[in-house]
Amino acid sequence: MAASTVNSTESYDRSRDVKQFEDTKTGVKGLVDSGITTIPRFFIHPPDKLSDLSPNSTTRPGSDVIPTIDLSGVNDSDLRSTIVEKVTCASRELGFFQITNHGIEDELLESVIGAIKGFHEQPADIKKRVYSRDDMKRSVSFFSNFDLFHSKAANWGDTLQIKLGPTLPELDEIPEIYRKQVMVWNEKVRKLGELLMEVLCEGLGIDKGKLKELQCTEGRTMVGNYYPYCPQPHLTTGIVSHTDAGVLTILLQDQTGGLQVKYHDEWVDVKPVPGALVINIGDLLQACFFSFAGCAFVLVLAYGLVVCVWSFVVFTFAALFAFLV
C-alpha cells in the first residue's frame, strides 16, 4: 500500500513534511522513538531504484569477489611486494577491498562503534545541541540526510560528522561521550592512511612518499552513520548509491551487514569480517592513477547495519592544486 503512494497523483506537500521533520532536530531515530509503524512518504524511493537491492538475490556474485588482504607482513621486505600487488590489483579492478591485521586493535574498533552508537542513542535534547547543517562553521555536527531539501527521496539514517584535519577541533567541541575514542581513532587512521598511500605509490611505480608529500593525509573527516530500525525497509535505503570523493575512505562497519558495492552492474554484499576495515579508493585517486577503472559505487540497505564509521581522507586545496598542475 505504501509503495503505491509513490505513484499517486494526489497533491503532496513534500516541502512541508520535510520541514516538519527537520524542525524536530531528532533525525530518523526521533521518528523511531515516536512509535511510527510506516515511514514518511519523503523517505520512499521509487520501486525501480530498489528492485535490484534484495539481499537474498541468487543471481548476484558472492561477497568473495571483494578481496580481504592481510597486511601483517607489510613491513617485511619478503612479503611486502605481494601485499603491494594485491592492494594495487584490488584498487584498479574494483576500487574496494577489506584489510586485516592493519594495526588498529579490535578493542578500539569495538569502542568506536559503541561510542558512535551511544551518541545516537542519547536523549534527543542532548543531541540537539550539535544539530546543524552549516558544516562550514562547525567542526562537529549532527544531522539527518545532508541533501534532505534537494534529494528526490531521503535515506533512513542519521549522521554525526567530525572534521579532524588539517586542524583538529577544540576538545570541548567534541561531545564527551565519544571524545576519547575519536582522538585515538584519528591518530590510528592517519597512520594507516599513510601506510596505504605508501603501498599504493609503490604499486603505481612512483615514490612511496609522493601522496604524503602532496598533503593527501591532511584533510580528514570522520562520519558516524546510524541506521535505526526501519518499519518498512523494503521502501527505502540507509544510504543511496554513491561514490566517495577524495583520496580514500577507511570504513568500519558493525557485524550486522547491509553495506553493498557495485561489481559489474550487480550489487554485492560486503560481508563483515571480524577485525577488518573496508577500504574504498576515492574518485580523485581513481581519476588520477586508475583512470581506466570505474569509480566504486556504494550503498547501505535500510535493514541490517546499525553503525558505520566512515573516515574520509580528502584532498586539501593545496594537494588538489598540486595534482591538477
Side-chain angles (χ1 to χ4, degrees):
M1 180 174 68
S4 64
T5 307
V6 178
N7 299 317
S8 173
T9 57
E10 67 183 29
S11 177
Y12 170 60
D13 192 344
R14 181 185 187 278
S15 60
R16 178 202 60 196
D17 284 1
V18 167
K19 185 178 186 304
Q20 288 177 350
F21 170 72
E22 173 70 4
D23 287 347
T24 68
K25 298 184 178 181
T26 60
V28 170
K29 181 63 164 57
L31 292 176
V32 175
D33 291 344
S34 72
I36 63 167
T37 57
T38 59
I39 64 176
R41 181 169 170 177
F42 62 88
F43 282 99
I44 298 176
H45 290 243
D48 62 301
K49 299 294 184 181
L50 302 171
S51 60
D52 62 344
L53 303 183
S54 170
N56 299 315
S57 173
T58 58
T59 60
R60 69 176 55 183
S63 59
D64 56 350
V65 302
I66 301 170
T68 298
I69 303 172
D70 185 349
L71 297 186
S72 58
V74 73
N75 293 316
D76 184 322
S77 58
D78 294 329
L79 299 175
R80 188 175 178 100
S81 60
T82 299
I83 294 172
V84 168
E85 181 180 358
K86 289 180 178 179
V87 168
T88 306
C89 181
S91 300
R92 178 177 291 116
E93 295 182 1
L94 188 60
F96 211 87
F97 53 95
Q98 300 201 65
I99 55 174
T100 57
N101 295 308
H102 39 65
I104 302 180
E105 302 82 358
D106 288 353
E107 292 78 10
L108 179 58
L109 302 182
E110 294 172 5
S111 181
V112 169
I113 288 287
I116 298 301
K117 185 171 184 285
F119 169 83
H120 284 287
E121 295 182 350
Q122 291 181 113
D125 287 345
I126 297 177
K127 293 188 292 183
K128 285 181 180 180
R129 298 171 189 170
V130 292
Y131 195 94
S132 174
R133 292 191 177 277
D134 192 355
D135 61 359
M136 296 299 290
K137 293 182 178 180
R138 303 191 64 157
S139 297
V140 178
S141 54
F142 161 62
F143 54 88
S144 181
N145 286 265
F146 77 94
D147 57 352
L148 179 65
F149 294 97
H150 309 289
S151 63
K152 293 182 178 179
N155 297 307
W156 194 258
D158 296 332
T159 295
L160 171 66
Q161 178 175 283
I162 312 161
K163 294 182 178 179
L164 296 169
T167 303
L168 282 170
E170 296 293 332
L171 282 180
D172 59 4
E173 292 184 71
I174 305 175
E176 187 175 1
I177 191 170
Y178 56 80
R179 184 182 300 156
K180 178 181 177 181
Q181 289 84 354
V182 165
M183 299 309 293
V184 177
W185 176 256
N186 177 52
E187 186 60 23
K188 293 282 188 176
V189 165
R190 183 186 63 78
K191 292 179 179 179
L192 177 58
E194 289 178 357
L195 173 62
L196 289 171
M197 289 182 195
E198 283 185 2
V199 169
L200 285 167
C201 285
E202 290 179 35
L204 291 165
I206 60 179
D207 183 83
K208 71 177 185 178
K210 185 63 175 179
L211 290 175
K212 183 177 180 180
E213 176 187 325
L214 293 174
Q215 303 178 35
C216 290
T217 60
E218 295 303 305
R220 296 183 305 281
T221 298
M222 179 179 181
V223 172
N225 284 340
Y226 179 79
Y227 313 99
Y229 164 77
C230 179
Q232 295 176 298
H234 57 292
L235 298 181
T236 190
T237 61
I239 294 183
V240 74
S241 170
H242 68 283
T243 63
D244 289 343
V247 185
L248 58 83
T249 301
I250 299 173
L251 189 153
L252 168 62
Q253 61 172 328
D254 66 20
Q255 296 299 302
T256 52
L259 180 68
Q260 295 190 342
V261 63
K262 206 162 198 177
Y263 176 75
H264 291 172
D265 295 324
E266 293 281 350
W267 287 105
V268 180
D269 295 320
V270 183
K271 184 178 179 180
V273 175
L277 293 170
V278 180
I279 307 300
N280 183 1
I281 304 299
D283 295 348
L284 285 175
L285 197 58
Q286 285 278 4
C288 291
F289 293 115
F290 302 107
S291 57
F292 52 90
C295 294
F297 282 85
V298 185
L299 63 77
V300 175
L301 299 174
Y303 34 82
L305 195 66
V306 178
V307 177
C308 192
V309 180
W310 314 66
S311 290
F312 300 100
V313 182
V314 300
F315 281 85
T316 60
F317 285 113
L320 177 58
F321 178 77
F323 256 72
L324 294 177
V325 299

